[in-house]
Amino acid sequence: QITLKESGPTLVKPTQTLTLTCTFSGFSLRSTGVGVGWIRQPPGKALEWLALIYWDDDKRYSPSLKSRLTVTKDTSKNQVVLTLTNVDTVDTATYYCAHKNQLTAPDGMDVWGQGTTVAVSS
Amino acid sequence: QSALTQPPSASGSPGQSVTISCSGTSSDIGGYNFVSWYQQHPGKAPKLMIYEVSKRPSGVPDRFSGSKSGNTASLTVSGLQAEDEADYYCNSYADSNNLGVFGGGTKLTVL
């Protein structure tokens, strides 16, 4: 059974760096075709892609946020870490991590974490 | 502003069918057969309902179906049930970012 869980601060001040960790089980990020993505959702608004990292360390970023985002993986710990620098109030959102397997569902994130809510406020 | 356009709301009575549209361009929906749909109940994480335009993951009822024509994708929910009331988001691969673009979401109400 695949599970993912996001963790990190619930409150961040403007200009600070937000670091979120996705801890997963039930799959390996060493397996061909596997990826973990990050998606966020501001309150009452739509889903927004942030980043995606694959088993081979291929990394994809949202063009509008690319300069502020970094995604890394630690396969030994079964974790994926997302950092977002210089946060602003518009970064207030629920942040989700999700699993992807290119071999079974090339375009679908088939298992999601419960999400973690982050508020940016001074 | 979302890259894909969805109607903000849709509704239907129990047992009826409802179709939700998702409009894009030739650089996303029209160019690739990589359209997925997600269902999200209030306060919950999204759930994958459709991938590759029309394929259903294991466990998703066959009342949910997807299709595409040109630059527009559609999700049809047949035999509406109360538990289908949720927000639905489309997503498509986009050659502008190698990541994907979501629609603005459609709130489906079961009357």
Side-chain angles (χ1 to χ4, degrees), chain A:
Chain A
Q1 180 193 5
I2 291 174
T3 64
L4 305 97
K5 187 172 185 179
E6 307 85 352
S7 60
T10 57
L11 181 63
V12 184
K13 296 183 186 304
T15 76
Q16 289 186 336
T17 294
L18 171 64
T19 300
L20 297 172
T21 301
C22 176
T23 303
F24 57 85
S25 63
F27 67 95
S28 172
L29 251 181
R30 295 189 180 95
S31 300
T32 300
V34 173
V36 172
W38 286 94
I39 301 100
R40 71 179 180 181
Q41 186 173 37
K45 295 188 177 181
L47 300 169
E48 178 186 17
W49 272 107
L50 296 177
L52 183 60
I53 187 166
Y54 286 105
W55 85 102
D56 59 357
D57 213 37
D58 179 15
K59 302 172 184 178
R60 312 286 176 87
Y61 294 102
S62 165
S64 62
L65 294 166
K66 186 174 183 178
S67 63
R68 300 169 52 208
L69 283 170
T70 303
V71 64
T72 60
K73 61 181 173 68
D74 186 331
T75 53
S76 64
K77 293 183 178 179
N78 280 353
Q79 291 181 333
V80 171
V81 175
L82 181 78
T83 61
L84 178 64
T85 62
N86 191 27
V87 298
D88 182 78
T89 54
V90 297
D91 297 312
T92 293
T94 296
Y95 287 75
Y96 296 99
C97 64
H99 167 270
K100 177 176 184 174
N101 189 329
Q102 287 181 316
L103 303 182
T104 56
D107 62 327
M109 309 304 291
D110 57 359
V111 184
W112 293 60
Q114 65 188 25
T116 186
T117 300
V118 179
V120 179
S121 175
S122 55

Side-chain angles (χ1 to χ4, degrees), chain A residues 41 49 60 106-107 109 113, chain B residues 34 38 40 52 89 91 98:
Chain A
Q41 186 173 37
W49 272 107
R60 312 286 176 87
D107 62 327
M109 309 304 291
Chain B
F34 289 136
Y38 296 86
Q40 187 180 34
E52 286 189 272
Y89 292 92
N91 177 78
N98 281 327

Side-chain angles (χ1 to χ4, degrees), chain B residues 39-95:
Chain B
Q39 176 192 65
Q40 187 180 34
H41 288 108
K44 300 296 186 181
K47 175 185 177 183
L48 180 65
M49 305 301 284
I50 296 286
Y51 66 97
E52 286 189 272
V53 177
S54 61
K55 296 180 180 179
R56 280 187 308 277
S58 174
V60 173
D62 59 6
R63 302 184 295 105
F64 291 85
S65 61
S67 62
K68 188 187 89 167
S69 178
N71 297 337
T72 299
S74 300
L75 173 73
T76 297
V77 186
S78 305
L80 270 176
Q81 299 181 4
E83 59 261 36
D84 298 334
E85 185 163 295
D87 293 326
Y88 290 85
Y89 292 92
C90 60
N91 177 78
S92 173
Y93 177 82
D95 57 19

